[in-house]
Amino acid sequence: MVEDIVKETKGKGVSAPATGNAAIIASRLKDISTTEEHSRIITGISELDRVLGGGIVLGSVVLLGGEPGAGKSTLLLQLCGAISRQVNVLYITGEESTRQIKLRATRLRVEEENIMLAAETDIGSICDLVEQTKPGIVVIDSIQTMHCAEISSSAGSVSQVKECTARLLTVAKTLEIPTFIVGHVNKDGAIAGPKVMEHIVDTVLYFEGDKMLPYRVLRAAKNRYGSTNEIGMFDMTGTGLKVIENPSKLLLEGRPIGVSGNCVACTMEGTRPILSEIQALVTKTGFGTPRRAASGFDFNRMNLLLAVLEKRAGYFLGNLDVYINIVGGLELDETACDLSVCLAVVSSLMDKPVPDDMIAIGEVGLGGEVRNVTNLEYRLRESQRMGFVRAVVPKHSLAQIDPKEFNTMELLGVTYVKQAIQLL
C-alpha cells in the first residue's frame, strides 16, 4: 500500500477563461528547428556511439540496465573519461563513496580533469546541484538508491523510483543535459522498478554478458533517436572495457580444424554481420529418453530442426542425445542459422567434418526446404572478408546476387536441406 497525498491545485477550472501567461502556445511543425535540439555528442567509444544511433542527443535520458558485475559502472566511468575532453561531467553515486570512484578511475586510467563527483541520494539536492553546475552530462548510479523526501516509502520502491526518474527527466529536458541512469535488474533480467520508468526515458540499454567470459554485449531495447537492432561488443580486461572492432575474427579464433560437429553461421545484428561457430554433439543416450540441450540457441527451434532432419532427410535421432552450443556466449535467435545447425548435427552424427572453408546460410522450413534470408549480400561479403571460399545459400537467392562481387567465393545454391547435407 502506498499513501498518496492529495493537494488542492491552484489551477483554474475548466470553464474559467485563460488569462495572462498561463495560456498554452502551439507552434507550427515546420517552424520548429532541429539543428540544436538533435545535435549529438560523439563519445569517442565507437561501439557505444553505434548503439546510441551516432552519439548522445542533447537532453536525452538513457537508462542502462544489466546484471550485477556486468560492468555498468565501468562503462559509464570510461564514458565520462572519454567525453570529459569536450564537456564537464557530473557523476552522482549512491552506492559508493567518492574515494572508491577515484580508485576505479585510477585503475581505468580515466582523465579526471573535468569530472565532478558527488555521493548523494536525495533527489532534490541532486536536481539543485545539476541546476547550479549545469554540466554537459550527468550520470546517476543508481536510480534504486535515490529517494524523494516528499514520499515516505523507502528507496528502491515503485513510487520512489518513478518519482526520482520523473524529476531527473524534467531537469534533463529543461536544461538540455544528457543524463545516464543506472538501473538494477530483477531475477527475471528486467529492470527493477515500474515499467513506466522505461516508457518515460528516451533510450533503454542492456549490458549483457556471461561472468565467466570476458565478452560483453550492449543492446538497445528502446531508442527514440536510432535503431534498436544495433549491438556493441566489448572485451572486459584488467584495465577496463576494450572495444571489439571485428567480432567475427574474435569469435572464430581457436576454431578446431577438421573436427566433426562444427559449422560457421552468419547472423545480422542490426547492420552488422557477425560470424559465429555452431557446435553440435550427437551421442548415444544412456537413458530411456534422449537428452536435448542448447546453449545460445532456442531450444524449441532445435527440436523443430531435429524433427525436420528425421522426417525430410532420413536421419534417425530418436535414441540419441543432441547438444547444441554457440561459441563465445552469443544468443543466436535468427532463423538464418537453421542450415548451419542442421549441417553441424549431421556432421556430428556421421562423424564427417564440415569443410573448414565452407559457411552455411539459410532458413529451414518444415518441408525440409531452404528459404531465403534477409541481407544475404552483407553476410556473404563478411564471409568473403574472413576467408571463406564456399557458401551454401538458398538457390532462390542466387538470382538476386551479382556473382562478380564474390569472384573469390563459390556459391552453392540448394533447395532442400538434403541437398546441403550431400555437400559434406
Side-chain angles (χ1 to χ4, degrees):
M1 304 292 292
V2 179
E3 179 185 4
D4 288 336
I5 301 176
V6 180
K7 296 182 180 180
E8 183 179 357
T9 59
K10 298 181 181 180
K12 301 180 181 298
V14 176
S15 59
T19 59
N21 297 327
I24 300 176
I25 301 176
S27 302
R28 291 182 181 274
L29 184 61
K30 67 176 183 178
D31 298 333
I32 300 176
S33 173
T34 59
T35 56
E36 182 180 353
E37 286 80 1
H38 289 277
S39 60
R40 295 179 182 265
I41 303 175
I42 305 300
T43 65
I45 304 176
S46 58
E47 295 297 287
L48 180 59
D49 288 333
R50 173 197 292 270
V51 177
L52 291 175
I56 304 174
V57 177
L58 295 180
S60 62
V61 179
V62 181
L63 180 62
L64 176 64
E67 294 286 341
K72 302 184 296 296
S73 300
T74 301
L75 175 63
L76 290 181
L77 192 56
Q78 289 186 233
L79 166 65
C80 292
I83 208 172
S84 63
R85 304 163 190 166
Q86 310 175 47
V87 296
N88 293 327
V89 178
L90 178 60
Y91 193 106
I92 307 294
T93 174
E95 301 177 345
E96 302 174 275
S97 65
T98 55
R99 187 177 298 272
Q100 290 174 312
I101 301 295
K102 167 70 175 180
L103 291 174
R104 183 187 296 127
T106 303
R107 177 174 60 87
L108 299 177
R109 300 168 187 168
V110 172
E111 295 187 14
E112 306 169 0
E113 184 66 27
N114 296 324
I115 300 178
M116 298 176 290
L117 296 180
E120 182 58 60
T121 58
D122 182 69
I123 196 64
S125 302
I126 292 173
C127 292
D128 292 339
L129 180 61
V130 173
E131 293 177 357
Q132 293 172 7
T133 58
K134 290 185 173 58
I137 184 173
V138 176
V139 175
I140 306 294
D141 188 7
S142 65
I143 191 63
Q144 275 79 15
T145 60
M146 304 296 157
H147 71 89
C148 179
E150 287 79 8
I151 300 178
S152 59
S153 58
S154 60
S157 61
V158 171
S159 56
Q160 285 281 6
V161 171
K162 182 171 63 174
E163 180 65 22
C164 292
T165 306
R167 292 200 180 189
L168 291 172
L169 178 72
T170 302
V171 173
K173 298 299 182 184
T174 304
L175 302 179
E176 290 289 323
I177 299 176
T179 304
F180 281 78
I181 302 175
V182 175
H184 294 167
V185 297
N186 53 30
K187 61 182 180 180
D188 297 327
I191 295 179
K195 198 68 177 177
V196 67
M197 181 173 60
E198 298 185 34
H199 287 295
I200 64 177
V201 299
D202 299 310
T203 305
V204 179
L205 304 180
Y206 281 92
F207 203 45
E208 307 168 350
D210 192 342
K211 293 181 181 179
M212 305 305 295
L213 296 173
Y215 310 130
R216 300 290 187 268
V217 178
L218 183 66
R219 299 180 185 271
K222 171 189 176 182
N223 192 357
R224 288 174 178 164
Y225 309 112
S227 172
T228 58
N229 296 322
E230 301 289 351
I231 71 165
M233 295 196 66
F234 299 86
D235 185 12
M236 178 66 81
T237 65
T239 57
L241 293 163
K242 305 294 183 183
V243 172
I244 299 177
E245 299 287 353
N246 192 348
S248 299
K249 181 180 179 180
L250 182 69
L251 294 174
L252 295 180
E253 283 184 351
R255 186 164 63 101
I257 304 300
V259 178
S260 62
N262 292 310
C263 188
V264 177
C266 185
T267 181
M268 292 294 297
E269 295 289 353
T271 59
R272 165 187 282 179
I274 297 179
L275 302 185
S276 58
E277 178 188 354
I278 296 178
Q279 293 181 329
L281 182 62
V282 180
T283 60
K284 187 176 181 180
T285 183
F287 305 95
T289 303
R291 294 193 61 186
R292 303 281 191 263
S295 175
F297 194 77
D298 184 62
F299 180 76
N300 295 325
R301 190 73 186 176
M302 179 190 70
N303 289 329
L304 183 148
L305 295 176
L306 295 181
V308 171
L309 288 177
E310 285 197 8
K311 181 71 175 180
R312 305 299 181 184
Y315 294 96
F316 183 68
L317 303 167
N319 60 347
L320 299 173
D321 293 339
V322 180
Y323 304 92
I324 302 294
N325 177 47
I326 309 300
V327 178
L330 281 182
E331 295 283 341
L332 300 187
D333 53 359
E334 195 180 14
T335 55
C337 304
D338 291 351
L339 190 57
S340 300
V341 173
C342 292
L343 291 183
V345 170
V346 175
S347 171
S348 178
L349 176 64
M350 301 172 60
D351 199 18
K352 186 176 182 181
V354 177
D356 299 320
D357 57 358
M358 176 185 289
I359 186 171
I361 303 171
E363 177 185 352
V364 176
L366 293 181
E369 74 278 10
V370 179
R371 295 179 173 271
N372 296 339
V373 297
T374 58
N375 300 313
L376 182 59
E377 291 188 6
Y378 294 102
R379 302 174 198 261
L380 291 177
R381 288 195 191 100
E382 179 71 10
S383 304
Q384 186 175 359
R385 190 172 67 88
M386 294 303 298
F388 289 88
V389 297
R390 284 187 287 177
V392 183
V393 297
K395 191 173 183 180
H396 306 288
S397 303
L398 293 178
Q400 307 171 4
I401 298 176
D402 186 6
K404 297 179 181 179
E405 296 185 12
F406 309 101
N407 49 9
T408 62
M409 177 178 287
E410 182 184 1
L411 302 180
L412 306 173
V414 295
T415 307
Y416 295 95
V417 66
K418 199 168 184 179
Q419 299 174 0
I421 294 174
Q422 294 175 354
L423 299 175
L424 296 180

